[in-house]
Amino acid sequence: MTIAKQGMYRAQGLTQTELAAIEQLAQVCNAHDGLDLKINREVLRTRPADQINDFLYYEHDTLVGFLGLYSFNPQEGEISGMVHPEYRRKGIFTALFHAALEECRHRHIVRLLLIVEHISTSGQEFVKTLASTYDHSEYKMVLEEPRLLSSFDAHLQFREAREEDIPALTHITALAFDLSEQGVAWYSKDVLANPAHRYCVAVLENVDVIGKLDVSLAGDEAFIYGFGVLPEYRGRGYGRQLLAHTIQTLFALRKTRIALEVAVVNKNALSLYYSCGFRETGSYDYYDHATNL
């Protein structure tokens, strides 16, 4: 006899049944609220089975609440989630949030960013109940009308990152995102070998790594992130060439949906993405919440 699920569940990895239930819940919430909730589907499909990252809430075997924790570096986490419209204002999301907060403390994640779609009334109301501060906003952009380059600078080469590139990856990421190099501690030999990701670099004169970007892969989807070029090489078209070459590579891998996110205030990056055929599909606000509160 199978016992119906009821209440909170902390998941280590997600089954196909759970993934399907999360997707169905997202469709219900998006249709009800007119949103495009950020639940990082490509990440959910490859969750490690030895770590708690997902929090599910059931009512009589039906998934009515979900919250995902995404930690792309050991010191910082991001969360986003949803509750079925018919089950809101019952404390479900609050329970999910506190369970995620407990997990962050257990893993010594000191900074937590809450992701709330800009037009989400319920999400914005929840954030107001917390001791959180607004950090920044990002557009989600999807490649709709590719406008790629017909030629590339002969002095520029493109390849996947190698172990010896880790210092350059760390340095460029730190400069691009205003971080300390000590805070960019997530690149390693094992990370570069992960088949669910690609780490692409631009090399000038076959000597210096002057730009990099990271890609997460899942099914026919690709998500570009961590894009940066050394300051002294910006404004020369190298970044656009790296992006265009990466897109061509992704097309060759049969990735038909390519997306990225960019800070609303980053006008230079927005201009670049528009010129390559990306278009906005949503806007997300990020709120900073210290995990020791």
Side-chain angles (χ1 to χ4, degrees):
M1 178 178 178
T2 302
I3 300 175
K5 290 184 176 180
Q6 179 67 31
M8 170 88 69
Y9 286 78
R10 295 166 172 81
Q12 293 180 283
L14 293 167
T15 67
Q16 290 301 314
T17 299
E18 289 167 338
L19 287 168
I22 292 168
E23 181 61 36
Q24 183 178 18
L25 179 59
Q27 291 176 5
V28 170
C29 293
N30 284 337
H32 182 271
D33 300 320
L35 304 177
D36 180 15
L37 290 168
K38 181 179 179 180
I39 58 172
N40 290 321
R41 292 170 174 82
E42 66 279 359
V43 178
L44 296 182
R45 299 187 189 107
T46 57
R47 289 298 211 187
D50 60 349
Q51 190 177 74
I52 297 172
N53 286 299
D54 300 295
F55 306 84
L56 301 90
Y57 199 99
Y58 290 87
E59 285 284 348
H60 306 296
D61 221 27
T62 298
L63 183 69
V64 298
F66 168 76
L67 185 148
L69 169 63
Y70 312 93
S71 183
F72 301 108
N73 72 72
Q75 293 81 37
E76 182 177 286
E78 300 178 357
I79 61 170
S80 62
M82 56 196 166
V83 173
H84 192 291
E86 296 178 7
Y87 291 86
R88 294 175 184 171
R89 300 187 182 280
K90 296 183 178 182
I92 292 175
F93 196 83
T94 298
L96 293 168
F97 172 75
H98 285 292
L101 197 58
E102 179 184 350
E103 178 63 20
C104 287
R105 290 167 180 158
H106 174 71
R107 284 157 54 178
H108 306 291
I109 295 173
V110 297
R111 187 184 187 216
L112 187 62
L113 290 170
L114 287 71
I115 308 171
V116 183
E117 190 152 2
H118 185 70
I119 61 173
S120 172
T121 302
S122 58
Q124 297 291 350
E125 287 179 351
F126 176 77
V127 168
K128 291 177 182 177
T129 68
L130 304 175
S132 302
T133 56
Y134 171 79
D135 190 77
H136 70 283
S137 296
E138 293 182 351
Y139 288 130
K140 178 181 179 181
M141 305 185 79
V142 173
L143 186 62
E144 293 185 352
E145 300 175 2
R147 299 172 188 161
L148 304 182
L149 301 174
S150 58
S151 62
F152 297 88
D153 191 316
H155 301 286
L156 205 60
Q157 294 83 41
F158 309 97
R159 59 170 171 78
E160 288 193 58
R162 305 164 183 161
E163 185 178 359
E164 60 265 28
D165 298 321
I166 290 175
L169 297 175
T170 300
H171 180 60
I172 295 172
T173 301
L175 290 174
F177 297 96
D178 195 24
L179 301 169
S180 69
E181 293 198 21
Q182 292 77 16
V184 184
W186 52 84
Y187 293 108
S188 68
K189 180 180 178 180
D190 290 341
V191 165
L192 297 186
N194 186 343
H197 296 264
R198 290 176 76 95
Y199 301 91
C200 309
V201 296
V203 183
L204 188 62
E205 301 286 3
N206 206 28
V207 176
D208 298 319
V209 174
I210 56 97
K212 48 82 67 176
L213 63 76
D214 307 337
V215 186
S216 174
L217 306 172
D220 61 356
E221 299 179 356
F223 184 81
I224 293 172
Y225 63 102
F227 186 16
V229 174
L230 287 173
E232 60 267 33
Y233 293 103
R234 294 172 188 169
R236 305 187 192 185
Y238 294 153
R240 181 171 186 181
Q241 291 180 66
L242 173 58
L243 178 62
H245 188 274
T246 301
I247 292 171
Q248 290 178 354
T249 300
L250 293 173
F251 282 159
L253 294 173
R254 298 186 179 180
K255 305 301 177 183
T256 57
R257 181 177 171 84
I258 301 175
L260 54 82
E261 291 174 358
V262 58
V264 171
V265 298
N266 193 341
K267 303 302 181 185
N268 290 336
L270 279 168
S271 178
L272 169 62
Y273 298 141
Y274 286 138
S275 71
C276 290
F278 285 89
R279 294 294 176 265
E280 302 158 24
T281 61
S283 177
Y284 305 96
D285 298 330
Y286 287 69
Y287 294 88
D288 194 341
H289 187 87
T291 60
N292 61 350
L293 295 178

